Amino acid sequence: MVGLQLTPLVWAGSLLTTIDSPFIVTWTLALWALHLKLRDAGIVDLGWAGLLGVLAVLYASLGSGGPVRRGVIGAPGAIWSFRLTLHLFLRVRGK
């Protein structure tokens, strides 16, 4: 019988899940509460887009692999998230 081996990749994934899960839940609940106060669900989209960028940077910085490879993976996620967050911010602000 072969047991589960904790390779560096499995260990890193477990660590990231432990770090990001409480943060994601807290962020989502805060956005939901803000949505109820402002009566504008667009704020949730704005927060979600920003959170994806934060997670892209977190995963890239704490993940396995060389720093260049992690930067190549994390930077597009962060840039995309920033662009989408800015677009949504301008749309929500314009209401």
Side-chain angles (χ1 to χ4, degrees):
M1 183 171 173
V2 178
L4 176 66
Q5 294 180 353
L6 286 178
T7 64
L9 186 58
V10 171
W11 178 254
S14 299
L15 176 64
L16 287 174
T17 302
T18 302
I19 292 171
D20 70 5
S21 293
F23 178 71
I24 292 170
V25 169
T26 303
W27 184 255
T28 304
L29 289 174
L31 288 171
W32 176 71
L34 187 58
H35 145 70
L36 291 176
K37 182 178 180 180
L38 299 176
R39 305 191 68 65
D40 181 9
I43 197 76
V44 175
D45 293 336
L46 179 66
W48 171 83
L51 178 62
L52 285 181
V54 170
L55 292 176
V57 171
L58 177 70
Y59 289 165
S61 62
L62 297 178
S64 62
V68 172
R69 180 175 288 191
R70 292 184 314 200
V72 167
I73 296 298
I79 292 167
W80 169 83
S81 171
F82 175 75
R83 185 206 59 82
L84 181 59
T85 303
L86 179 62
H87 166 74
L88 292 171
F89 173 76
L90 294 174
R91 189 185 77 188
V92 168
R93 186 184 68 166
K95 285 185 177 181

